[in-house]
Amino acid sequence: MDKTIVCIGGGELKTKETHKIDAYIAQKVKERAAGRRPCGLFIPTASHDSMPYFNSFRKTYTSDFDIKADVALTVYGEMSMEKLREKFLKADFLYVGGGDTVFMLEHWKKTGLIDLVRDAYDRGVLICGLSAGAICWFEQMYTDSADARGDLPYAMYQGLSWIKGTISPHYGLRVLDFDEIILYNKKAAVGLEDLSAIEVVNGQIVRSFAFGGRAYDIRADEGRLEKEVVRPEVRL
């Protein structure tokens, strides 16, 4: 099965700002489940296992879309690796929440959770994520994690490199700094505004979604930036 990641630039689950993209994800998961009630596994590591965050996920995906909701908790040692492995094997999709990206990746590596996430990805389990959960898959990510940025507001940091390229979430808030870095380093990048998303299949971006914001393909060419909306673009 294709390896698919839906990356959401930003927005609030709690206030249903991302509801239109959540509806798309739910539909995609149900199609894959072929009549069986699917299960979504929420991974809140970046928010230090925030249970209110999980409750927002559950209210959206269970109450609105009739998808079972489960959670993978690792930060405070609540769940054994055996229990977590069972949750991952039952999951029809993973939802990786926002928060501190660097903490999340280091914690995944320390606990071994990264192996469960990678196994799910390799098996074709749909992965989606917001902010930290959107950018961690790329080679380089523009993050506000304190462990990466030092005294700066944002900094580049090495991601998992499952997807090639550089990416920034919340692009509308970081556009000037991010564009300057891309121009200086002559990079190609993706800028994801809040309320926008991209769908990546087998490592390639196949479409973007605009439901209030837009996703941009950014390239440095001869000392200037070229910027265009990631296409094909789906308006939700």
Side-chain angles (χ1 to χ4, degrees), residues 49-155:
D49 284 355
S50 168
M51 289 307 292
Y53 199 176
F54 169 61
N55 289 335
S56 295
F57 171 80
R58 181 170 52 192
K59 286 178 181 178
T60 294
Y61 279 90
T62 301
S63 298
D64 294 356
F65 305 125
D66 193 33
I67 291 175
K68 291 183 287 185
D70 202 354
V71 63
L73 302 174
T74 62
V75 175
Y76 303 106
E78 300 96 328
M79 297 177 180
S80 67
M81 189 55 63
E82 181 179 354
K83 185 176 182 66
L84 287 165
R85 188 174 293 108
E86 291 175 359
K87 288 173 177 279
F88 273 82
L89 290 174
K90 292 177 181 177
D92 294 285
F93 77 105
L94 309 181
Y95 190 113
V96 182
D100 188 330
T101 319
V102 174
F103 169 79
M104 178 182 73
L105 290 180
E106 293 304 313
H107 187 75
W108 283 3
K109 294 170 185 176
K110 181 177 70 175
T111 61
L113 195 69
I114 185 62
D115 296 328
L116 299 182
V117 177
R118 181 73 209 201
D119 176 68
Y121 178 66
D122 288 340
R123 287 188 285 112
V125 175
L126 176 67
I127 296 177
C128 51
L130 185 146
S131 188
I135 65 175
C136 63
W137 323 104
F138 285 75
E139 290 177 308
Q140 287 190 304
M141 52 190 188
Y142 199 50
T143 177
D144 61 358
S145 294
D147 288 341
R149 61 182 171 81
D151 295 330
L152 300 172
Y154 313 108

